[in-house]
Amino acid sequence: MAALSVTAALILTMLALDLPSAVAQTAVKTPRTIRVVMDNAYAPYSFQSDEGKSQGILIDQWQAWEKKTGIKVEIHAMDWAEALRRMRAGEFDVIDSIVETSERLDYFDFTAAYTLIEASIFFRKDISGITDLASLKGFPVGVKKGDQHIDQLKAGGVTTLILFQNNDEIIEAAKQHKINVFVVDDPSALYLLNKAGIEREFRQSAPIFRDELRRAVRKGDATTLRTVSEGFAAIQPGELKQIDEKWYGRTINRIGVYLTYAGYAMAVALLLIAGLAVWNRTLKKRILQRTAALGESEQRFRRLVELMPVAVYVCDTSGVIQTYNHRAVELWGREPKFGDTAERYCGSLRLYSPDGKFVPHEKSKMAEALKTGVEVRDLEVVMERPDGSRITVLVNIAPLRKGDGELTGAMNCFQDITERKESENTLRQSERQLQLVIDKIPVMAWIVLADGSVDFLNQRWLEYTGLSLREAIKQPTSTVHPEDISRAIDKWNRHMAAGKSFEDEMRLRRADGEYRWFLVRTAPLFDERGNILKWYGTSTDIEDQKRAEEALRETQDALAHVARGSIVGELTGSIAHEVNQPLGAIVTNAEAGLTWLSDETPNLNEAREALHRIIRDGSRASEVVARIRSLLKNGRAIEIRFGVEEIIREIIALTQNEAQRRKVSVQARLEPNLPQITADRVQLQQVLMNLVMNSLDALTAVADRPRILTILAGTDSPSSIRVAVQDTGPGIDPQRMKDIFEPFQTTKPHGLGLGLSISRSIVQAHRGHLRVRRNDGPGVTFEFTLPVKGKSAI
Amino acid sequence: MKTASPSTASIVFVVDDDPSIREALSSLIRSVKLDVETFSSAQEFLQHDRSDRPACLVLDVRLPGLNGLELQQRLIRDGVHLPIIFITGHGDIPMSVRAMKAGAVEFLTKPFRKRDLLGAIEQAIERDQEASAQRKDLDELLARYDSLTPRERQVMGSVVKGRLNKQIAAELGTAEITVKVQRGRVMKKMKADSLASLILMAQELGIGAGSEPWR
């Protein structure tokens, strides 16, 4: 390297010798030294050689300037930021390779521009989508400290800037994968990327900045400005071009660099044969070494090609296959002979387009590329193998050219994407299926974004509401019933703010205007940081369920009414009449009989008739009583085994509405694992119903304390259970306590006073006991015991 | 039906659908020397022709077809003035209030005692006798009033207002002597022994200033 630089310097020296200059003469008048500061890492303009020596276009140009003006040039190369700072501080006369900015105009005077520099975004090639400044947002971007573009980058929205001391450091960081994106002047970047050997790892955007390089002096230093400008103007354009070519030539590629140097060396050798003989020999030796290295490198390349997981082959211009790797053989399923003129363009048996059309080899993409010289990128082709199987491959074809651009053949690099295609197809199919499911499931499905705007509505939603997608997106809540809307929205907002799943019931308008009840459920989708991205929701039609529930509730009400009425209402009503009629007749007959006998002349016949009627009516009354007895006791009593907790739950269910209406809280305290009992289920249900209804009636009078009804069940003895109905009602007058179980004793205006008497009969028929006691607190407890084994078990 | 007394004696009607009750009531009522007639339904009672003997009705509330309370309304509507004693298996307060407001004498719940029933019957018959006597007097008075000529009715209307004969003659455009004769005829036909008793009769008949008599 050093030797070559010296060579170059020699040429320049020779060229410079016979260039007389007016500037040089004026410069003699004011002999002095000029201090020039510049970047020490701004290749190829000014940068350090591997030995730490300043070199580059600017160095050479200033040497030329020195010759022209006779003014000694003192070059100071340093970090650009430092260079700017110290120039501002007045330490130097001239700063070179500076861009004019309005800010800098305040303290520098600038020369005319001497070159145009473009700056681009450089990015690692696996990053895509970087095309301009705007697309840089979000990427950490490497940039040189003091770079005039920093402000523009920031203004363009690029906030994450990683500042480096100089361009060398940027490239070094890029090489070490510390940064993936950077903005550097093109000449500098290309030179350094090549030098670092990573030029293929990076891509370059179109230029985003264009800057004119100038030289600048301290503000007001017109003399120096003029001296500098005139000095450069005196240098021949050809001479400047030579300097440019010398330095830019090095950036083509690394091998090219050496070839260029070799060219220079030859030229110099012709001029200075003797002096350069040694150099010539040295160069030859280096070229030989290089050639050997190239051979070695080709071998490495071959191995690499073999190892690559992609298939590669090369055709000459006539399409004859020159070489291929192992993977190509695997994919083709066959091994064409090298150089076989019958095997052209492709080693596969047959080719097809992705849609299944047969493509003859001579019409293949390879044939086309060889004809047109245009490369082919990422094209799908189907290959058929000798065993009949077909695979889909992704084809990349690059034409190969000699240095002069003449086409020598083409390389095809292809990979098997059959599996990928299949999984893509499967995915697409399952997506289609999912879409179908979502559209056809009998619920309305939807997605809204975190801000509440509609993201998706399934077909059902649109069908039900009859809205177009556009209408629905505009006003998704327009179908909610006016009475439900404010409550629903309120609930939504609350849950959405809390980020919690929730459900709600509301009426939604169908296309025909009818409102139906829906159960609306939603669940949030979070990102990995826990932010809500979307809400998934379903709306299920529950109108029919609602109606069924209502019907059930009505039936329950009716049943409770009937169950209660059947025992204390209709039955006892008729019983009372049946018993009362003969009793009334008996009393009247007895009075009549007495009157007939107490007459002065007793009418014995009439009295006898009355007595007969008393006997007849008395028998009739006892028949009625016997009938009731048989009905309640022996009649149709059916004993089955069941859990007493079952009927407790049934009674609670049956009386639920009644309790709610009377604002009574009904509680059940049931001992676990109660033994099952054998009894008449219906009769016991009637007893319990009667006790519960009595308590509810009693509790209605309570206004100053909670209305609580408790049903308790537990074991009484190993062979019997105990069921109690406890209330916090007003209790029972102590004087009445003893005869409340007697028939026709009642405190209720419409009661007949038979409920408790019949209940006791039923319990006694089951060999149990029904008792009442006052609570420690307010109210009373009715409690009955029942043997676990039924009465038939005696 | 059995009748143990002369036709002027009182009679008790009984309506009850239960034959045991009917028989027992019939026996009891007869044992105190009252006539009794029993019916098993309201319809049967309505079809029966009644004499104008003092009477009362013992009526069961609960009857097939037309019930007791409905029968009471029907009788009131038809202008039949018959005191009613209700009997019932189980009556409630609203029911008895309704019956009593409509003019029932008593509301008895079965089984009832002899003295309660007979007391009620006695009271009812007394009430019926009074009412029918009143009705009889009024009928007689009306018959007398009917026998007056239109001019005599004009004169009577003026006399009971306290007008002097001279004033009446001026009003009617006739001689005072003529008025005096007509006045004497009114007093005789109405069987009034004084002006005061004629005024009372006029009140009974509802003869006011210029108005027609009650009827």
Side-chain angles (χ1 to χ4, degrees), chain A residues 580-581 591 596 599 606, chain B residues 27 30 33 89 110 113-114:
Chain A
N580 213 28
Q581 286 295 107
E591 305 246 38
W596 288 121
D599 211 10
E606 286 282 2
Chain B
S27 178
R30 279 184 291 108
K33 313 297 183 252
K110 290 185 244 178
R113 297 307 304 267
K114 172 188 164 188

Side-chain angles (χ1 to χ4, degrees), chain A residues 573-574 576-577 580-589 591-596 598-599 606 609-610 613 616-617 620 750 752, chain B residues 2 16-21 23-33 60 62 88-90 109-115 117:
Chain A
S574 69
H577 189 75
N580 213 28
Q581 286 295 107
L583 283 177
I586 287 167
V587 172
T588 307
N589 276 315
E591 305 246 38
L594 277 175
T595 317
W596 288 121
S598 60
D599 211 10
E606 286 282 2
E609 271 178 39
R613 285 195 299 271
R616 186 195 64 194
D617 293 340
R620 184 179 141 201
H750 304 290
L752 290 167
Chain B
K2 293 167 193 167
D16 196 314
D17 63 325
D18 189 324
S20 297
I21 300 286
E23 283 170 14
L25 283 175
S26 170
S27 178
L28 182 65
I29 293 164
R30 279 184 291 108
S31 70
V32 294
K33 313 297 183 252
D60 190 11
R62 188 162 158 170
T88 179
H90 58 277
T109 305
K110 290 185 244 178
F112 41 78
R113 297 307 304 267
K114 172 188 164 188
R115 61 171 183 275
L117 179 69

